[in-house]
Amino acid sequence: KSSSKSSSDWNRTWQTHNPDLTPCFQNTVLVWIPCLYLWLFAPFYILYLKRNDCGYICMTHLNRAKTVIGFTLWLICWADVFYSFWERSHGAAIAPVYLVSPTMLGVTMLLATFLIQYERMKGVQSSGVMLNFWLIAIVCATVTFRSKILHALNEPASVNVFKYTTFYIYYTMLLISLILACLSDQPPLFSQAVKDSNPCPESGASFLSRITFWWITGLMVTGYKRPLEEKDLWSLNTEDKSQRVVPQLVRRWDQECNKVKRPVDKTLYSPKRAAKGEKKDGQPIEESEILLAKTLQKTGEPSLFCALCRTFGPYFLVSSLYKIIHDILMFVGPEILRLLIQFVNDSSAPTWHGYFYTTLLFVCTCVQTLILQKYFHVCFVTGMRLRTAIVGAVYRKALVITNAARRTSTVGEIVNLMSVDAQRFMDLITYINMIWSAPLQVILALYFLWQNLGPSVLAGVAVMVLMVPVNAVIAMKTKTYQVAQMKSKDNRIKLMNEVLNGIKVLKLYAWELAFKDKVSAIRESELRVLKKTAYLGAVSTFTWVCAPFLVALSTFAVYVLMDEHNILDAQKAFVSLALFNILRFPLNMLPMVISSMVQASVSMKRLRVFLSHEELDEDNVERPAITACEIVDGAFSWSKDDSPTLKRINVRIPEGALVAVVGHVGSGKSSLLSALLGEMQKQEGSVSIKGSVAYVPQQAWIQNTTLKDNILFGRDAKDSWYQKVVEACALLPDLEILPGGDLTEIGEKGVNLSGGQKQRVSVARAIYCNCAVYLLDDPLSAVDAHVGKHIFEKVIGPQGLLQGRTRVLVTHGLSFLPQADLILVMVDGEITEMGSYTELLGRQGAFAEFLRTYTNTEQEESVGGEAGLLISELLSCKTEPNDVAAAKKAKSTEAARLTEADKANTGRVKLSVFWEYMKAIGLPLSIFSIFLFFCHHLSSLGSNYWLSLWTDDPVINNTQPNSEMRLGVYGALGLTQGIAVFCYSVAVSVGGILASRYLHQTMLYNVLRSPMSFFERTPSGNLVNRFAKETDTIDSVIPSIIKMFMGSMFNVLGSCAVILIATPLVAIIIPPLGLLYFFVQRFYVASSRQLKRLESVSRSPVYTHFNETLLGTSVIRAFGEQQRFIRESDGRVDLNQKAYFPSIVANRWLAVRLEFVGNCIVAFAALFAVMARDSLSPGIMGLSISYALQVTTSLNWLVRMSSEVETNIVAVERVKEYGDTEKEAEWRLEHSTLPAGWPTTGHIEIRNFGLRYREDLELAISDISVNIEGGEKVGIVGRTGAGKSSLTLGLFRIIEAAQGEICVDGVNIAELGLHELRSRITIIPQDPVLFSGSLRMNLDPFDGYTDEEVWRALELAHLKNFVSGLPDKLNHECSEGGENLSLGQRQLVCLARALLRKTKILVLDEATAAVDLETDNLIQSTIRTQFEDCTVLTIAHRLNTIMDYTRVLVLDKGQMAEFDSPSNLTAKKGIFYKMAKDSGLV
């Protein structure tokens, strides 16, 4: 009976033209579904709310309304129950269902009301769980509602008025509940959002707004009206901020590290204590130290992967749930397509089936869209947090890593960890779920295919499986190429970095072309690798695009040929095609994900290696010390394996002493300070320091902020103290010269300060922080003698600001030694003598020798006395502090800005940029590529149309007559498609490489042709960014994006064409949908592009700051400022993510809207097909809907790609922009009339010469007229900033003259090519710059000289012994910036360069600054002998070097004060006399 009953029920529900459900079903299942849902989810939800408490929300009208309605619903259900009881008591036979169902519903409503209140207490503003509950309840009730109305219309007599009334009230209440659930409550008390100026609207948005990403619309509207700016962006959510994310990862990573370090044996700690007690006997102490070193052994590598999983795993797991639901929903489309084709075939089916299927299709696709976008959102947010965490961890690590570890990776490589590797992780996170999701999709697809076509599916599967190894091989090859390309890229960036840092030297030596060729050589090898990658890419694209077709072809062929009774009808063919299309995605993604994982694992390894580098031992220096500084039996090296640089060091420095450290170049003076700071590996002994430490490094480290910030260095501003410090460091006159006073912004590495100014700022920073111990590494070398003396007296000396502090001063200035309490003499890393000045003189040891060579006894007598008074008067009468304030106010803040931030271009990318790119590829190639694209898509459409004709072939005797012919043509069309794909892929990739070569070459040339002022204005970070990020984009990103863009564009057009052919009615729908699509796209691109730009602009400062930190780690550590720098870095990363987060959400916003457009197209294609079911053949309908199902993805890709093309093509624009900046004069003039040996005599005539640094500044030097005969030796003196260096810059035309002219041997230098001029004059520059490469390359980059000549130059520069002692002799690799040579040695290398070039004019710029007196004498004597017949211009600091020169030019405030022989000037008693008196020379 029951079977017949159920079949009649089924007929009543399904096979009629007017369907309805039975009352039994309505009262049980439909009531129970919502109840089950809520009871299932409530426990989990309550647990979740307990864990995630967001604060308490006050009672609002919304909440009251929700609660009241909940109670009303409960009352209605109880009313139903009581009514049923009442009926029963009156003898009516009531089925128990009428009691059970309302009771259940009533209890559920109570639970719902409870949840509403509980959510309020836990601070949930809008809840998805409840919204879904009301939605399910209303859907179930709607069915009952309809049947109740039908029932009332058909049989009015049997209506139960009470039950009907309660039901209608119930239904209305449900509707109101649903509407209220869509609204969002106010934010909880004490939440972040209240305090924030511009909080992220996400947390306050309602559930509907969240799943459709409606909450970002406000930002999009703003972005559409005007370009977005920094202030429009929301602040980050707290859980995305650095201070929240980074510590989590760091903590987990430390746990991982501690797991693998297992103590071998604890008892080994004990000997150390015993040893301390014994007499100062070397032996036991050493032994115990060695034992100590071995106690912690690594048992394996710590796993960075585990640390990342534990940090980000839990949040990320949510995404997997979304992914599973989405994967299952994907297969609903093909199933419904099958039912629709069946419906068209079966003319007896009631019409409403068609509409039912269409609606079902639409709902399913929409749900699928929402879930997928939610999934992506979770993935991207995880990726964002991951990047924040990695950047933060790398930055924190960089601050504590040892010097030896620092040397293993260059600055460029470490910055790459931050930029490239962190980016790789971000990209991987989006796809990582495909590892399990792809196999799942494949299995499901195969199951449905098997049901459709039976065993012949295996043929298709075989083709797919064959494709996998092909793709895997390609991926492996690509990876090896990628590693090679990364290597070239690293080298290229490293070289570019150096070129940009040493650009001044390149210009002075006219070496640009040599370095241009070096960069180009690396670039060529990089492009060769790229070309191979491109061919591989073409093969993989070919397999990519043709795989689905081959699969379909093989499957259909086997199916048709296996048995002639197998008929390929529309249902089989097109459902299979739809399933194959689904299959195509996971199969293509798998190799991509695998290669992406391989890349990420390479990055992971690089990161792990960096994060496991050994850190500086905090215990290197013991803090609670008895004396100020003490080293006992110290031996120190730069890394664990090196032999010690410093041996047998025993020093005790009493508190408040002034200790001078002297010794020759390379004797280990700076190393001693590093040892005191704990920067060196302590091999034995102990170091202790009492109190805070300030450190002045030998090469001043200047930050890219204002001068004042450089001095304050994060301390609070105390004006009176600040004024004192500035005055003591003789910075007041400099503040007058600087355009913005102390608010002038200093460029990167202090480009706009002279060497002396940098050094003095560095000293001022140390004094300002008011520490107990001062370690000064030769701070007086870079400043003029009288300034040095002033600083010594006012700051370092016994009467200076630092009196009573402990001061350790490394110095070459002998005049300061008598005032030191203790002098340490260093030779070869050992302290040979120590004692006071008089003691050491009395001992007749090395020190006395040292002095006797260098001093004339008169010098000591005149030190102090009147000269000291004179100079302090000179300096103090210049300005009083209150004048400074006035002067500062007068200076405009505008002049204070120096570097230009990376500008964000606004508005649409101009078509001209695309045109530029096409020209860079070559027009014929571009047009040919487009033509190939067209062929490919035409043949693809043709083959599918042919398939639809084939399925509509009439069936005769259970066979299709000409299936072989159909199959043949189908195959041929497919082959054409494959060939076209391969050709266009190769064409686009090769074109991309041609373009990329051309663009990089022109940019390199343009940058090198830029004048010095350009490099001072542009931070090197921006330039390196162009050569790294933008060039990389042009190399590898743009070609593939263009391929995808063209592909998806033709796909969309093709699909629309097919749908129009099948159901012309769609023509009504496509234009409005197209308009909507276009509007959404333009709306999105306006904001998205600007967000992308803001993001890339805010990215540069992260790297610039990191670069700067790496250069100054020792200073930051010495001052203990690590936390402040970490905060600064975090702030910059957050600023960058603040622009990145909205761009992720904007992508999701767009996708939801676009997929909605796509879903509409599918729905309308199906709807019109249902309406026209009589005139449509099943084949055409199948074709139309299977194409429509693809449209969604294609549309999505199209917008994504069009905006990607727009955002990435910006790289071309930015690379081209350096073509339009100002350039230097020509390097070589075409028709040069220069005689070959010019200058032959070296006669320099300067007439009324003047120059200015920038258009808007006054002249730096003016009206200088000097006539220098050939072979004269001329000294140029004057206080810092008097224009000494400016004069030489004018001579080399680094800065062009603003007035007057300079003639050399009668030729006006302004009429020469720059290289002709610069290669005929030699300079020994102020800061000795070396480039990484061989020593030989540093001396002679053009290989213009023989080895003998090079050795001869080295011998004269006193480097021969040093160089011949090196293992590689001339091929000795200099590290980045020449760091593996001491400063003095670098200076001597510069001297050797000059000796090698041996021109008639030599300019010496402060070359004597960083060298001890012995080396100084060597240099001076070399210059006297070797350049005897040359004109020598020396910018001098120590007047004793120029006292025997023929003439001296004294500059003051940019003008010529005196010019005569030294003896005449001394007799004149002018400025020169005063300076000479200060130096004790008269």
Side-chain angles (χ1 to χ4, degrees):
K1 162 155 194 219
S2 67
S3 61
S4 66
K5 167 105 163 60
S6 64
S7 67
S8 71
D9 282 356
W10 180 245
N11 288 341
R12 173 181 170 182
T13 310
W14 186 248
Q15 297 295 345
T16 65
H17 287 277
N18 189 5
D20 193 12
L21 289 164
T22 60
C24 164
F25 188 81
Q26 287 177 18
N27 275 325
T28 53
V29 181
L30 287 188
V31 173
W32 294 349
I33 286 175
C35 300
L36 266 172
Y37 163 82
L38 196 60
W39 285 100
L40 260 177
F41 279 93
F44 298 111
Y45 188 48
I46 290 171
L47 261 174
Y48 167 77
L49 286 181
K50 262 185 106 116
R51 295 276 301 278
N52 298 38
D53 193 345
C54 301
Y56 178 88
I57 302 183
C58 296
M59 197 56 140
T60 49
H61 292 306
L62 178 66
N63 217 295
R64 289 195 187 98
K66 283 184 185 173
T67 314
V68 168
I69 288 171
F71 271 121
T72 319
L73 283 167
W74 173 66
L75 290 175
I76 291 168
C77 296
W78 283 111
D80 260 2
V81 176
F82 288 128
Y83 182 72
S84 302
F85 272 121
W86 182 80
E87 275 191 319
R88 250 183 123 152
S89 63
H90 283 64
I94 297 284
V97 148
Y98 288 109
L99 294 173
V100 177
S101 286
T103 314
M104 228 174 125
L105 205 53
V107 177
T108 308
M109 289 305 165
L110 260 185
L111 176 66
T113 316
F114 163 73
L115 278 177
I116 289 169
Q117 281 306 322
Y118 192 64
E119 281 176 349
R120 180 180 70 82
M121 324 249 280
K122 292 293 179 195
V124 178
Q125 289 172 266
S126 167
S127 148
V129 175
M130 295 311 293
L131 183 82
N132 286 338
F133 168 68
W134 296 123
L135 190 67
I136 293 169
I138 203 108
V139 168
C140 293
T142 308
V143 177
T144 318
F145 188 67
R146 177 176 170 271
S147 68
K148 282 215 194 269
I149 290 176
L150 287 177
H151 186 207
L153 291 175
N154 297 341
E155 311 167 25
S158 64
V159 171
N160 179 338
V161 179
F162 181 80
K163 287 216 162 160
Y164 270 54
T165 318
T166 52
F167 181 76
Y168 290 145
I169 297 175
Y170 167 76
Y171 190 69
T172 327
M173 290 293 173
L174 277 183
L175 261 177
I176 297 172
S177 269
L178 182 65
I179 293 163
L180 289 180
C182 295
L183 305 175
S184 171
D185 215 332
Q186 62 177 37
L189 294 170
F190 318 120
S191 73
Q192 282 296 313
V194 186
K195 291 178 235 165
D196 224 326
S197 51
N198 189 4
C200 177
E202 183 182 15
S203 55
S206 68
F207 175 73
L208 278 179
S209 158
R210 268 197 217 168
I211 57 171
T212 56
F213 294 95
W214 191 259
W215 50 272
I216 190 189
T217 311
L219 189 71
M220 305 290 271
V221 172
T222 317
Y224 188 66
K225 288 186 188 150
R226 60 173 172 80
L228 288 171
E229 293 160 35
E230 164 88 61
K231 61 171 193 299
D232 302 320
L233 304 175
W234 319 303
S235 21
L236 280 178
N237 294 329
T238 34
E239 54 269 20
D240 297 336
K241 284 189 180 156
S242 294
Q243 63 206 48
R244 183 79 172 267
V245 178
V246 184
Q248 292 176 336
L249 178 65
V250 172
R251 197 176 69 240
R252 298 269 154 73
W253 168 247
D254 288 341
Q255 288 168 5
E256 289 298 322
C257 289
N258 293 336
K259 265 190 216 164
V260 293
K261 284 190 197 142
R262 57 147 203 250
V264 183
D265 194 353
K266 284 284 196 292
T267 53
L268 288 179
Y269 278 86
S270 51
K272 170 130 199 227
R273 296 285 160 267
K276 275 274 195 242
E278 289 174 37
K279 296 185 185 65
K280 275 275 187 281
D281 193 335
Q283 220 39 47
I285 288 190
E286 277 178 31
E287 264 177 33
S288 65
E289 285 291 352
I290 290 163
L291 293 174
L292 256 179
K294 286 189 182 158
T295 48
L296 286 182
Q297 275 192 350
K298 277 198 172 175
T299 51
E301 292 296 335
S303 158
L304 181 61
F305 182 67
C306 287
L308 290 172
C309 284
R310 288 172 51 198
T311 316
F312 303 104
Y315 177 71
F316 190 63
L317 278 177
V318 183
S319 67
S320 312
L321 185 74
Y322 291 131
K323 189 76 177 129
I324 291 174
I325 301 173
H326 168 255
D327 285 355
I328 291 165
L329 281 175
M330 275 175 83
F331 293 98
V332 175
E335 269 309 289
I336 294 177
L337 173 63
R338 190 173 64 87
L339 294 168
L340 272 169
I341 295 176
Q342 196 177 316
F343 164 77
V344 173
N345 274 335
D346 172 19
S347 48
S348 67
T351 318
W352 71 269
H353 283 190
Y355 297 121
F356 176 69
Y357 292 143
T358 306
T359 318
L360 199 59
L361 187 62
F362 184 63
V363 170
C364 279
T365 45
C366 285
V367 171
Q368 189 183 337
T369 296
L370 293 179
I371 284 184
L372 183 66
Q373 297 321 316
K374 195 74 191 136
Y375 160 73
F376 276 134
H377 184 59
V378 172
C379 286
F380 276 109
V381 170
T382 313
M384 177 177 107
R385 288 181 191 169
L386 191 68
R387 176 167 167 247
T388 301
I390 286 174
V391 172
V394 169
Y395 188 86
R396 283 159 173 72
K397 182 71 182 186
L399 284 176
V400 293
I401 176 180
T402 59
N403 280 302
R406 255 298 317 275
R407 294 232 175 102
T408 55
S409 34
T410 58
V411 175
E413 280 168 15
I414 301 179
V415 174
N416 255 349
L417 283 181
M418 243 189 192
S419 49
V420 183
D421 296 325
Q423 197 59 43
R424 288 248 177 93
F425 274 107
M426 249 167 119
D427 299 341
L428 175 69
I429 282 285
T430 357
Y431 303 128
I432 190 97
N433 270 328
M434 291 304 293
I435 282 296
W436 58 263
S437 154
L440 175 75
Q441 290 179 24
V442 171
I443 290 165
L444 282 172
L446 288 182
Y447 169 74
F448 285 114
L449 277 167
W450 186 280
Q451 292 214 317
N452 218 4
L453 294 176
S456 51
V457 172
L458 294 175
V461 176
V463 173
M464 282 187 183
V465 171
L466 279 176
M467 287 297 179
V468 173
V470 174
N471 277 344
V473 168
I474 292 174
M476 292 305 289
K477 284 298 261 191
T478 312
K479 188 210 145 210
T480 50
Y481 288 150
Q482 215 153 18
V483 171
Q485 189 211 336
M486 280 292 284
K487 207 160 188 59
S488 302
K489 188 172 133 197
D490 272 355
N491 287 338
R492 192 184 86 232
I493 301 305
K494 186 173 136 188
L495 188 59
M496 273 319 296
N497 222 336
E498 291 190 47
V499 168
L500 295 173
N501 286 339
I503 189 79
K504 192 167 182 179
V505 173
L506 290 191
K507 292 208 170 298
L508 289 171
Y509 287 133
W511 278 0
E512 294 102 333
L513 286 169
F515 279 85
K516 176 169 174 268
D517 295 341
K518 280 186 73 174
V519 174
S520 302
I522 299 179
R523 178 74 183 149
E524 279 309 307
S525 71
E526 194 179 355
L527 287 174
R528 275 198 296 279
V529 175
L530 270 174
K531 208 169 231 164
K532 290 180 190 163
T533 320
Y535 293 137
L536 276 181
V539 176
S540 83
T541 309
F542 170 74
T543 55
W544 216 116
V545 177
C546 293
F549 179 79
L550 284 175
V551 170
L553 178 68
S554 54
T555 308
F556 293 153
V558 170
Y559 183 71
V560 174
L561 299 175
M562 213 164 58
D563 179 358
E564 61 175 12
H565 292 302
N566 278 350
I567 294 162
L568 194 65
D569 58 3
Q571 187 178 327
K572 289 203 173 70
F574 287 107
V575 174
S576 304
L577 268 189
L579 288 167
F580 281 134
N581 271 331
I582 288 179
L583 253 182
R584 164 192 192 165
F585 181 68
L587 282 172
N588 291 322
M589 282 306 291
L590 260 179
M592 249 184 77
V593 173
I594 291 168
S595 72
S596 176
M597 281 182 78
V598 170
Q599 270 185 25
S601 72
V602 172
S603 293
M604 177 107 69
K605 187 165 163 238
R606 284 171 58 157
L607 273 169
R608 194 197 65 220
V609 169
F610 181 73
L611 290 176
S612 349
H613 272 323
E614 50 181 352
E615 301 183 4
L616 276 179
D617 212 346
E618 291 289 311
D619 317 332
N620 271 347
V621 178
E622 292 164 28
R623 282 298 172 189
I626 311 110
T627 48
C629 303
E630 180 172 32
I631 302 183
V632 183
D633 293 337
F636 302 91
S637 63
W638 283 112
S639 72
K640 275 190 176 153
D641 323 322
D642 290 6
S643 55
T645 326
L646 301 176
K647 323 176 260 298
R648 296 194 280 285
I649 303 281
N650 277 299
V651 189
R652 271 198 62 184
I653 297 172
E655 242 169 293
L658 166 55
V659 180
V661 183
V662 293
H664 298 312
V665 171
S667 61
K669 301 184 295 290
S670 301
S671 302
L672 182 68
L673 294 194
S674 296
L676 281 171
L677 285 170
E679 296 275 316
M680 292 181 78
Q681 276 287 336
K682 181 174 65 174
Q683 294 196 343
E684 47 191 85
S686 66
V687 184
S688 56
I689 282 194
K690 180 177 182 182
S692 52
V693 181
Y695 170 59
V696 179
Q698 193 168 8
Q699 278 182 304
W701 174 69
I702 304 289
Q703 281 184 278
N704 183 1
T705 54
T706 63
L707 189 114
K708 185 166 186 173
D709 287 343
N710 260 306
I711 296 177
L712 296 180
F713 204 53
R715 306 290 196 283
D716 303 333
K718 299 199 263 302
D719 271 340
S720 53
W721 175 238
Y722 174 71
Q723 286 296 345
K724 262 191 206 157
V725 171
V726 172
E727 201 175 335
C729 292
L731 280 166
L732 288 179
D734 304 296
L735 293 184
E736 283 180 24
I737 300 168
L738 289 170
D742 63 357
L743 297 176
T744 310
E745 187 195 348
I746 311 298
E748 273 185 87
K749 302 199 183 76
V751 285
N752 50 342
L753 294 180
S754 71
Q757 288 168 326
K758 278 190 238 182
Q759 203 48 295
R760 295 207 301 278
V761 170
S762 184
V763 173
R765 171 197 300 151
I767 306 169
Y768 188 83
C769 80
N770 220 339
C771 295
V773 180
Y774 281 81
L775 304 177
L776 311 165
D777 194 352
D778 208 358
L780 304 178
S781 61
V783 298
D784 307 0
H786 57 283
V787 180
K789 189 167 167 194
H790 170 87
I791 290 180
F792 187 80
E793 286 187 358
K794 290 276 184 188
V795 179
I796 305 167
Q799 272 72 51
L801 280 178
L802 299 182
Q803 56 185 9
R805 308 285 165 79
T806 312
R807 291 143 295 171
V808 181
L809 170 70
V810 171
T811 183
H812 293 132
L814 301 179
S815 52
F816 308 130
L817 295 181
Q819 305 186 32
D821 304 324
L822 182 64
I823 298 173
L824 309 177
V825 184
M826 298 206 59
V827 179
D828 292 335
E830 295 190 38
I831 296 179
T832 52
E833 296 182 273
M834 56 203 284
S836 68
Y837 188 70
T838 42
E839 280 175 28
L840 290 178
L841 269 184
R843 266 191 217 161
Q844 298 298 323
F847 178 70
E849 267 310 292
F850 189 62
L851 281 183
R852 211 166 289 126
T853 357
Y854 296 120
T855 41
N856 6 22
T857 35
E858 317 94 315
Q859 200 169 328
E860 278 104 37
E861 292 157 25
S862 65
V863 170
E866 50 187 340
L869 283 171
L870 246 175
I871 186 166
S872 50
E873 272 170 41
L874 252 178
L875 288 166
S876 57
C877 67
K878 287 256 173 89
T879 45
E880 291 303 305
N882 51 1
D883 304 351
V884 178
K888 256 188 243 163
K889 285 204 181 71
K891 304 207 167 170
S892 67
T893 49
E894 202 27 62
R897 300 279 306 132
L898 165 81
T899 50
E900 299 167 355
D902 234 341
K903 288 188 295 291
N905 299 345
T906 50
R908 289 200 59 170
V909 177
K910 296 171 209 62
L911 281 172
S912 60
V913 180
F914 290 100
W915 185 239
E916 284 287 349
Y917 188 69
M918 278 179 76
K919 275 198 307 203
I921 293 179
L923 289 180
L925 191 57
S926 309
I927 292 160
F928 181 57
S929 308
I930 293 172
F931 171 71
L932 285 172
F933 264 108
F934 189 71
C935 294
H936 162 220
H937 284 276
L938 206 63
S939 56
S940 161
L941 276 178
S943 64
N944 280 338
Y945 184 66
W946 185 262
L947 184 67
S948 83
L949 294 178
W950 178 4
T951 59
D952 286 340
D953 273 354
V955 179
I956 306 161
N957 303 335
N958 284 349
T959 59
Q960 278 169 321
N962 36 12
S963 53
E964 270 88 355
M965 182 270 292
R966 292 283 193 199
L967 190 61
V969 174
Y970 186 57
L973 283 167
L975 192 67
T976 330
Q977 186 181 332
I979 292 168
V981 170
F982 186 72
C983 296
Y984 84 65
S985 194
V986 170
V988 172
S989 302
V990 171
I993 287 171
L994 293 175
S996 152
R997 166 182 294 144
Y998 167 75
L999 290 168
H1000 181 269
Q1001 275 306 80
T1002 47
M1003 171 164 73
L1004 181 60
Y1005 184 68
N1006 284 332
V1007 167
L1008 289 176
R1009 277 287 316 280
S1010 301
M1012 251 340 273
S1013 56
F1014 167 79
F1015 295 98
E1016 281 165 10
R1017 275 201 318 274
T1018 319
S1020 63
N1022 293 7
L1023 284 166
V1024 172
N1025 215 350
R1026 296 286 186 280
F1027 281 101
K1029 193 90 173 54
E1030 321 296 6
T1031 306
D1032 191 44
T1033 305
I1034 294 172
D1035 284 349
S1036 43
V1037 181
I1038 292 184
S1040 65
I1041 280 182
I1042 285 180
K1043 266 192 280 195
M1044 288 184 188
F1045 170 70
M1046 300 292 286
S1048 40
M1049 185 171 76
F1050 280 116
N1051 262 339
V1052 171
L1053 294 175
S1055 304
C1056 289
V1058 168
I1059 297 170
L1060 279 170
I1061 292 166
T1063 47
L1065 263 180
V1066 176
I1068 312 165
I1069 291 302
I1070 282 186
L1073 281 179
L1075 267 174
L1076 175 65
Y1077 166 81
F1078 181 74
F1079 176 69
V1080 162
Q1081 201 257 11
R1082 285 265 42 97
F1083 199 67
Y1084 158 79
V1085 168
S1087 305
S1088 155
R1089 196 181 46 233
Q1090 202 51 27
L1091 285 169
K1092 255 289 190 18
R1093 278 176 181 160
L1094 283 173
E1095 196 262 333
S1096 72
V1097 168
S1098 64
R1099 180 186 280 157
S1100 293
V1102 176
Y1103 303 143
T1104 313
H1105 179 242
F1106 186 46
N1107 234 328
E1108 202 171 75
T1109 308
L1110 283 173
L1111 293 171
T1113 37
S1114 53
V1115 179
I1116 296 170
R1117 286 199 285 244
F1119 282 91
E1121 287 288 304
Q1122 293 96 321
Q1123 285 314 311
R1124 180 168 67 87
F1125 275 81
I1126 286 175
R1127 276 199 304 277
E1128 166 75 7
S1129 170
D1130 282 354
R1132 290 184 180 209
V1133 173
D1134 285 349
L1135 208 64
N1136 182 18
Q1137 300 290 30
K1138 214 165 104 168
Y1140 176 69
F1141 180 68
S1143 69
I1144 307 174
V1145 183
N1147 275 334
R1148 304 281 68 83
W1149 177 91
L1150 169 82
V1152 169
R1153 278 141 196 73
L1154 282 192
E1155 293 203 3
F1156 181 73
V1157 172
N1159 297 341
C1160 289
I1161 292 179
V1162 177
F1164 283 116
L1167 184 71
F1168 292 134
V1170 169
M1171 284 160 74
R1173 68 191 272 205
D1174 306 326
S1175 60
L1176 263 191
S1177 77
I1180 292 289
M1181 176 175 176
L1183 182 70
S1184 138
I1185 291 178
S1186 63
Y1187 261 103
L1189 281 172
Q1190 277 181 63
V1191 140
T1192 320
T1193 25
S1194 303
L1195 271 183
N1196 220 332
W1197 271 110
L1198 181 61
V1199 168
R1200 186 86 32 87
M1201 286 304 135
S1202 61
S1203 68
E1204 285 275 298
V1205 166
E1206 272 201 21
T1207 37
N1208 283 302
I1209 208 85
V1210 172
V1212 177
E1213 181 181 34
R1214 295 177 80 168
V1215 164
K1216 294 291 287 186
E1217 78 185 353
Y1218 290 137
D1220 315 328
T1221 51
E1222 48 164 348
K1223 298 284 170 278
E1224 290 185 303
E1226 283 302 314
W1227 279 341
R1228 294 228 177 276
L1229 296 177
E1230 288 298 309
H1231 314 292
S1232 163
T1233 52
L1234 255 192
W1238 178 92
T1240 43
T1241 51
H1243 165 251
I1244 304 175
E1245 190 179 353
I1246 301 178
R1247 308 195 195 107
N1248 286 337
F1249 185 73
L1251 53 79
R1252 55 167 62 96
Y1253 280 89
R1254 278 207 312 235
E1255 251 61 310
D1256 49 351
L1257 302 177
E1258 57 265 36
L1259 291 171
I1261 50 176
S1262 52
D1263 305 327
I1264 293 189
S1265 298
V1266 180
N1267 193 348
I1268 299 171
E1269 295 304 325
E1272 263 199 281
K1273 308 283 178 284
V1274 176
I1276 304 174
V1277 295
R1279 72 156 271 123
T1280 309
K1284 302 183 300 253
S1285 299
S1286 306
L1287 193 58
T1288 52
L1289 294 180
L1291 179 60
F1292 280 89
R1293 282 177 62 200
I1294 294 289
I1295 299 172
E1296 298 287 347
Q1299 59 176 52
E1301 59 185 24
I1302 299 181
C1303 294
V1304 175
D1305 281 5
V1307 180
N1308 182 353
I1309 61 167
E1311 289 158 13
L1312 299 176
L1314 289 180
H1315 278 183
E1316 296 170 320
L1317 166 68
R1318 289 172 187 167
S1319 58
R1320 310 283 176 92
I1321 320 178
T1322 310
I1323 185 167
I1324 300 180
Q1326 201 167 358
D1327 21 359
V1329 178
L1330 298 190
F1331 300 95
S1332 61
S1334 65
L1335 196 57
R1336 157 105 217 202
M1337 192 279 311
N1338 269 302
L1339 292 169
D1340 169 28
F1342 287 103
D1343 277 339
Y1345 300 94
T1346 62
D1347 275 3
E1348 285 71 51
E1349 290 171 296
V1350 176
W1351 276 111
R1352 171 109 184 90
L1354 283 174
E1355 185 176 356
L1356 293 169
H1358 309 282
L1359 278 171
K1360 187 169 184 179
N1361 294 345
F1362 168 68
V1363 178
S1364 45
L1366 294 169
D1368 302 337
K1369 310 260 188 305
L1370 281 179
N1371 295 327
H1372 173 67
E1373 275 297 311
C1374 302
S1375 63
E1376 203 172 352
E1379 304 219 326
N1380 50 4
L1381 299 176
S1382 77
L1383 205 56
Q1385 285 163 338
R1386 274 179 263 171
Q1387 197 79 57
L1388 291 174
V1389 171
C1390 292
L1391 174 66
R1393 279 179 192 161
L1395 288 161
L1396 199 56
R1397 280 169 72 148
K1398 195 81 182 346
T1399 54
K1400 271 292 176 200
I1401 298 178
L1402 171 72
V1403 180
L1404 256 136
D1405 184 0
E1406 299 198 358
T1408 57
V1411 182
D1412 58 295
L1413 290 175
E1414 192 176 351
T1415 320
D1416 186 14
N1417 276 4
L1418 292 177
I1419 292 182
Q1420 287 302 331
S1421 61
T1422 309
I1423 288 169
R1424 285 196 186 100
T1425 52
Q1426 293 304 314
F1427 292 95
E1428 203 172 355
D1429 51 345
C1430 307
T1431 310
V1432 179
L1433 302 179
T1434 303
I1435 294 178
H1437 291 246
R1438 307 181 175 164
L1439 295 186
N1440 55 357
T1441 53
I1442 56 161
M1443 285 314 258
D1444 59 346
Y1445 276 27
T1446 43
R1447 284 193 284 175
V1448 174
L1449 170 63
V1450 183
L1451 292 176
D1452 189 41
K1453 296 195 179 156
Q1455 292 180 329
M1456 185 169 103
E1458 304 170 322
F1459 183 45
D1460 210 334
S1461 66
S1463 49
N1464 292 359
L1465 289 177
T1466 318
K1468 240 194 210 169
K1469 306 258 183 203
I1471 300 181
F1472 183 76
Y1473 172 71
K1474 283 180 186 157
M1475 290 172 80
K1477 199 160 167 28
D1478 290 342
S1479 305
L1481 295 174
V1482 287

